[in-house]
Amino acid sequence: MPVQTQKKERKIKPIDGNSPTVRKMDFEGLDQLSDYYVAGNSFITHTVNAYHVIFPEGERFFIKSVKAFADQVTDPDLQSRIKGFIGQEVQHGKEHEKALEMLEKQGRPVSRILKFYAKTAYGFFWPVLEFIFGKKLKLAVTAGLEHYTASLGEVSLKYNLHDQAEGEMRNLLLWHACEEIEHKSVAYDVLQTISKSYVLRIFGFIVASVMFWGYAFTLQHLFIFSDPKIGFRRYFADLISARSYAKLIVFEVGKMSLLYFKPGFHPNQTGGYDLANAALATI
């Protein structure tokens, strides 16, 4: 059953894909959440925990990738959207870092998992890829990852998956999903300004796909294997219980990911803005 949340009064600007807005939310009470704060399920909760680790460093990666080419953007509207994009990503990183503090208080090995992620992704994979293929690939990967995060956000909102999360975590996940939809075309439009190469775009998306699914699975299981409350029986019981969620996300996000391979694709074609607006009003 969804966890009921007492609504906190907030004045929130509506979603506008043409002008992303920085919303400083300052979510509180995350330290009051239970160990398995999403549907009481350890498998789903540790999947979300994995993304709490991924997002702060990931947001900084997105910002650097876009900033590296921002001076080549002459369109004033896109320049304005870049500023909104950067501001939103900074806020996302801050709120997910609060979630990491909550996980540390729960006794999760956040520092070890974060160290593993930072060393492998940003100490090895990205430097090697940038050395071989240059900064344009990082921008292409960022555009691809933005398509994934927006797709995941849209699926979450469409099927009310965020309502399975307790307290302010529900609002944090919902807000992040809405803003991912709002700014989903910014990195893509910067990439198209720099290079319209279909090969670059698709290669970047393939790398993004490996990173998106690979780190989600790996970090999720690092949390699971370090959790003393999860034994053999609990693992498979929660895995079976989470199957409907997993199938929904993999199928729906996978279906949306295929759109990226269309030669004439643009993120705006998937819409989702009205859905995000309606959802954001519930915070």
Side-chain angles (χ1 to χ4, degrees), residues 110-168:
V110 173
S111 297
R112 289 206 315 261
I113 294 175
L114 187 57
K115 186 176 181 180
F116 164 80
Y117 170 57
K119 278 196 170 183
T120 57
Y122 302 99
F124 177 72
F125 288 125
W126 293 126
V128 169
L129 288 171
E130 182 177 353
F131 177 78
I132 297 174
F133 299 104
K135 291 183 178 181
K136 286 185 180 180
L137 178 64
K138 290 173 66 176
L139 180 60
V141 171
T142 295
L145 287 171
E146 284 293 325
H147 180 62
Y148 268 118
T149 54
S151 298
L152 184 60
E154 187 170 342
V155 171
S156 177
L157 299 184
K158 184 177 180 181
Y159 294 98
N160 297 311
L161 300 182
H162 51 276
D163 282 339
Q164 298 296 322
E166 296 174 10
E168 283 278 75

Side-chain angles (χ1 to χ4, degrees), residues 223-250:
F223 275 111
I224 289 173
F225 294 151
S226 64
D227 190 335
K229 295 182 180 179
I230 302 177
F232 186 83
R233 289 184 180 179
R234 176 79 189 247
Y235 176 85
F236 283 100
D238 282 1
L239 173 62
I240 292 170
S241 178
R243 281 189 305 179
S244 59
Y245 296 93
K247 285 181 180 179
L248 178 66
I249 290 173
V250 172

